[in-house]
Amino acid sequence: MKILFLLLIAGLACYAQNPTDGYFKLIRPGFQEKNAYETTAFVEKYFRVPGNTGFNASIHYVENILKKAGFVEQKQNEFEAPLTYRIEKRAIKNNTWEPVDANIDIVGETQPLISYKTNRNMIPINCGSTPVGGVTANVVYIEKIAPSEVEKMDLKGKILFSENNPSRLLQIATKAGAIGVLGYSMPKYTQPETHQTSIQFGSMKANSEVWTLLLSYAAKEKLKATCLIGETKLKVNIQTKIYPSEELTIVANVRGSVNPTERFVFSAHVQEPGANDNASGVGTLAEMARLTAELYQEKRSIRSAA
């Protein structure tokens, strides 16, 4: 969990027969959807991996929301003030990673096969960079993967392409001398034939000598058709950053007056690249924290049903 919002109970009492109705009427007018959307939009623009630029920027964006709402930075413990927050830091065993850009061009064609600008999920987490300026190489299409057969092939200096998850091909491609792997791995439930440009984000083994990229259904079909016609060359350019960092977690607290050591815990995670995985959760939680601070400052009690 990368954002925690700890709401300490301000009072315990039996409420009416359906306390949620009262809570909703109290809270709903104060919840500003615009705030949640703005936070979601900020977080969503990054591919977030613990410790990388976008992840840390998202944490500090939420920190600014908390400060404006009246939360103060915790110095010793969470009971220093009614509204406190802290940023916890932990060492990361492996380097963090972030994508910068990528492009696959079929040599001889004017339009890219696929580009990071329109599909950032094409670069799996931990993928390294190509040499500056990219690489140009023949692509070898293999419909069915038989590791024992692939290892016998001469893939030195070539790109292996198959309709399989590239992480499955990485080891045998490396042994066969390939410089890169292109793969396709979209589960049926994602309806790839309908959503033809979509890619489900993935990861690969860190510190690999061979890079891998993920293809959408449309890109996979286009490349396969080209390979079946004859010799196909690709120009591939990948730019990523891999560097040491630390993991951040932001924790906000609202101290209760009746049972201050008891609490509700709400959480959202920052990592992953999607709007709903989980930028929208971060946006919603940040707005909940802001609204709770507002209600607290208005001397409202937060009650729970017995």
Side-chain angles (χ1 to χ4, degrees):
M1 304 297 182
K2 306 311 171 196
I3 288 185
L4 294 178
F5 173 45
L6 308 183
L7 174 58
L8 287 94
I9 300 173
L12 288 175
C14 293
Y15 204 71
Q17 292 183 350
N18 189 356
T20 57
D21 291 341
Y23 295 155
F24 186 80
K25 290 177 182 178
L26 172 67
I27 295 172
R28 183 63 186 87
F31 188 94
Q32 303 298 314
E33 297 96 328
K34 182 174 179 291
N35 293 340
Y37 280 128
E38 287 178 352
T39 301
T40 301
F42 179 86
V43 175
E44 188 274 337
K45 67 184 180 180
Y46 295 106
F47 194 123
R48 306 167 307 274
V49 173
N52 77 4
T53 301
F55 186 99
N56 293 345
S58 300
I59 292 290
H60 291 300
Y61 188 94
V62 173
E63 179 186 22
N64 288 331
I65 293 173
L66 297 177
K67 285 181 177 179
K68 290 178 181 178
F71 288 84
V72 297
E73 186 175 6
Q74 172 186 319
K75 300 300 183 184
Q76 293 183 343
N77 60 65
E78 61 193 33
F79 299 102
E80 296 168 3
L83 303 171
T84 62
Y85 80 90
R86 67 182 182 272
I87 294 180
E88 299 176 351
K89 299 180 179 180
R90 285 177 295 279
I92 298 176
K93 182 179 179 181
N94 298 314
N95 289 336
T96 191
W97 174 91
E98 64 183 85
V100 178
D101 199 9
N103 220 58
I104 304 176
D105 292 284
I106 298 176
V107 175
E109 299 199 2
T110 57
Q111 296 298 317
L113 176 68
I114 192 168
S115 173
Y116 177 81
K117 291 180 175 62
T118 55
N119 202 320
R120 62 187 179 186
N121 286 350
M122 68 180 288
I123 314 178
I125 296 170
N126 295 324
C127 179
S129 300
T130 58
V132 176
V135 294
T136 300
N138 286 330
V139 58
V140 177
Y141 171 60
I142 303 176
E143 184 176 3
K144 295 182 180 180
I145 293 295
S148 58
E149 295 299 318
V150 174
E151 289 177 3
K152 298 175 184 177
M153 299 176 63
D154 179 17
L155 295 178
K156 188 174 182 180
K158 298 177 182 178
I159 300 168
L160 176 62
F161 164 44
S162 179
E163 297 176 64
N164 289 272
N165 190 312
S167 63
R168 291 181 55 202
L169 312 177
L170 188 58
Q171 185 174 2
I172 55 176
T174 303
K175 288 182 178 179
I179 62 170
V181 178
L182 301 178
Y184 171 79
S185 180
M186 291 294 290
K188 288 292 184 183
Y189 71 83
T190 63
Q191 303 178 50
E193 295 181 25
T194 300
H195 310 291
Q196 295 196 3
T197 60
S198 64
I199 297 177
Q200 191 174 52
F201 80 91
S203 62
M204 62 174 286
K205 181 182 177 182
N207 304 314
S208 174
E209 296 178 3
V210 175
W211 49 263
T212 73
L213 292 175
L214 294 161
L215 299 178
S216 65
Y217 179 86
K220 179 261 296 185
E221 289 293 299
K222 167 69 174 175
L223 183 56
K224 181 168 69 171
T226 304
C227 289
L228 292 175
I229 292 173
E231 182 180 279
T232 302
K233 281 192 174 184
L234 298 178
K235 181 176 181 180
V236 179
N237 189 11
I238 308 169
Q239 299 174 43
T240 62
K241 295 180 180 179
I242 301 173
Y243 53 92
S245 187
E246 58 186 0
E247 182 177 3
L248 306 182
T249 297
I250 187 165
V251 182
N253 300 280
V254 179
R255 189 183 70 198
S257 59
V258 177
N259 291 288
T261 60
E262 297 181 11
R263 65 194 65 194
F264 292 116
V265 180
F266 303 95
S267 65
H269 68 277
V270 178
Q271 70 267 35
E272 268 69 270
N276 282 327
D277 189 8
N278 187 33
S280 58
V282 175
T284 301
L285 193 58
E287 177 58 11
M288 285 174 59
R290 185 206 63 78
L291 176 57
T292 302
E294 180 181 287
L295 295 173
Y296 190 97
Q297 290 161 345
E298 291 177 356
K299 308 301 183 185
R300 302 292 185 96
S301 290
I302 301 170
R303 301 177 182 272
S304 70

